[in-house]
Amino acid sequence: MTLLLIMIATGWSITYGKIEDLDLLLPLGALVAILHIIIGVVGKIADDHASKVHDYDGWTGVILVIVRLVFFCVFVGFAINTYSKAQKKIQSFVLRILLIGTVYLLTVPVVVTISTVFVDFLWRHYVITLGNMILQSVTVMLFAFQFSAKSSSYNSVSLKNSIFL
């Protein structure tokens, strides 16, 4: 989902159709996936710490939150670049994707930060789990609507004017 967001933020399928740097994108996507897996496995190995109350507690959680923030910065940078070069019709779509993508990419950092600061440690796991599930489910449903409904703004600005995702 993150790679799809970044690709759309660069203008893929709305300002250009063919991916020129596929040799770069595929290894980058694989690297991101492998990095997440390695951090998750290492985090599970160090899972026995008595003071750890949720998955984002500890150094692996901090790394995952930082990685998510880096992806957010990359996404916003590409989206602003696409917005500045796009026609008015495409600009409104980019703003919608920017809003939905912001919620999706910042869900984990914001929920973890809020629960760490304001929630009692016994409830943190529940708040983080439910907060992430609810917010990310809503954004996935909004993306599904954007890419599948014939009346969506994506369908009106897509180069192919049809659903192909």
Side-chain angles (χ1 to χ4, degrees):
M1 183 79 156
T2 302
L3 189 57
L4 178 65
L5 269 173
I6 291 172
M7 288 176 58
I8 290 173
T10 65
W12 173 68
S13 77
I14 54 175
T15 60
Y16 67 92
K18 186 177 181 188
I19 301 172
E20 300 289 328
D21 296 329
L22 195 58
D23 295 338
L24 177 68
L25 282 176
L26 288 177
L28 181 65
L31 177 68
V32 168
I34 290 170
L35 182 66
H36 270 83
I37 291 169
I38 289 172
I39 292 171
V41 168
V42 170
K44 286 297 178 189
I45 290 171
D47 207 15
D48 293 340
H49 198 280
S51 65
K52 186 174 179 180
V53 293
H54 56 81
D55 291 337
Y56 296 98
D57 221 359
W59 68 271
T60 54
V62 171
I63 290 173
L64 287 174
V65 167
I66 290 171
V67 166
R68 199 70 177 233
L69 290 171
V70 168
F71 284 144
F72 170 71
C73 292
V74 169
F75 167 71
V76 169
F78 283 135
I80 289 171
N81 187 33
T82 301
Y83 180 85
S84 66
K85 295 178 182 178
Q87 304 166 356
K88 200 73 162 164
K89 187 177 183 182
I90 293 174
Q91 285 180 341
S92 76
F93 171 73
V94 172
L95 285 176
R96 286 183 189 187
I97 290 299
L98 186 60
L99 177 66
I100 297 169
T102 297
V103 173
Y104 179 80
L105 290 170
L106 289 182
T107 294
V108 171
V110 169
V111 170
V112 168
T113 303
I114 287 173
S115 68
T116 302
V117 173
F118 297 111
V119 178
D120 184 51
F121 77 95
L122 295 174
W123 288 96
R124 283 185 197 151
H125 175 74
Y126 299 110
V127 170
I128 290 172
T129 302
L130 285 175
N132 286 336
M133 285 174 42
I134 291 168
L135 289 171
Q136 288 187 346
S137 295
V138 167
T139 56
V140 167
M141 285 189 287
L142 289 171
F143 276 124
F145 173 76
Q146 286 296 318
F147 299 130
S148 63
K150 291 200 182 257
S151 63
S152 72
S153 59
Y154 172 76
N155 198 32
S156 66
V157 299
S158 170
L159 290 177
K160 303 211 184 247
N161 279 338
S162 64
I163 302 159
F164 69 97
L165 286 179

